[in-house]
Amino acid sequence: MKRSERPTTIQVRNAQRSIKIRLPELQSFAEIAWALVSNHKRLGFALASIPMIGVTIISDRQMAKLHQRFSGLTGPTDVLTFHHGEILISAETARHQARAFGSTTENELRLYILHGLLHLCGFDDASAGARATMHQVQDQLLGDALHRERRLKKP
């Protein structure tokens, strides 16, 4: 993929107050993840029309409202992705899931960022087969992104 096909920026912002978020670390991860994910776009999926990707971390309350509005489903979800380049992530759901899976809230947020980016690149998790494919790519890229992030942090 040509560099010009990627959005010029990806921005992570925190729009909730209940969970402390280390925004600079998530921003750095998002940039690394986008560099990796954009090379895995589905054939025929155009990214050039997305000028910027916005990742917003919100509360469960906000997420539940949006989940109902856009999916017709009650209650919060972890990630909502819109094809115009917006990814919404629930901080409280991330914390809950991190506890359930023995992870950290920050790592769960990283996973959700990556998951949303894969959706923007045309991956789908609506069927069992598509979900398996998406999760395979997601697991590989998450490992790669975390490895690159650790290398950048070393003095």
Side-chain angles (χ1 to χ4, degrees):
M1 172 191 301
K2 297 176 190 170
R3 173 72 178 129
S4 61
E5 289 183 37
R6 290 187 191 148
T8 55
T9 59
I10 181 168
Q11 180 182 15
V12 180
R13 67 184 200 91
N14 183 15
Q16 58 82 48
R17 288 176 272 176
S18 46
I19 297 173
K20 184 177 169 134
I21 303 293
R22 293 187 298 242
L23 210 50
E25 288 181 19
L26 288 179
Q27 177 66 44
S28 176
F29 176 83
E31 292 166 6
I32 292 166
W34 176 242
L36 293 169
V37 168
S38 60
N39 291 321
H40 285 272
K41 73 176 184 156
R42 303 302 264 178
L43 292 176
F45 204 80
L47 293 169
S49 63
I50 302 174
M52 184 183 93
I53 295 172
V55 178
T56 306
I57 301 166
I58 62 176
S59 68
D60 263 2
R61 187 169 156 251
Q62 292 171 296
M63 182 62 87
K65 287 179 186 177
L66 295 166
H67 196 210
Q68 175 67 45
R69 180 176 174 193
F70 292 105
S71 300
L73 301 171
T74 58
T77 188
D78 48 8
V79 181
L80 285 175
T81 304
F82 299 93
H83 290 289
H84 62 269
E86 185 175 13
I87 300 170
L88 302 173
I89 296 173
S90 172
E92 292 155 307
T93 296
R95 180 176 58 191
H96 176 75
Q97 293 290 71
R99 288 176 179 162
F101 292 109
S103 184
T104 66
T105 301
E106 296 286 331
N107 279 342
E108 200 69 15
L109 291 170
R110 285 174 175 86
L111 173 65
Y112 297 168
I113 289 170
L114 182 65
H115 188 83
L117 290 171
L118 284 170
H119 277 304
L120 288 179
C121 289
F123 284 86
D124 183 352
D125 55 5
S127 70
R131 187 171 30 261
T133 299
M134 183 175 182
H135 282 239
Q136 182 180 17
V137 172
Q138 180 176 283
D139 291 346
Q140 175 201 345
L141 293 180
L142 182 62
D144 292 349
L146 291 172
H147 178 73
R148 287 185 185 194
E149 184 182 37
R150 281 190 297 273
R151 280 196 345 232
L152 286 176
K153 286 181 183 179
K154 286 186 177 179

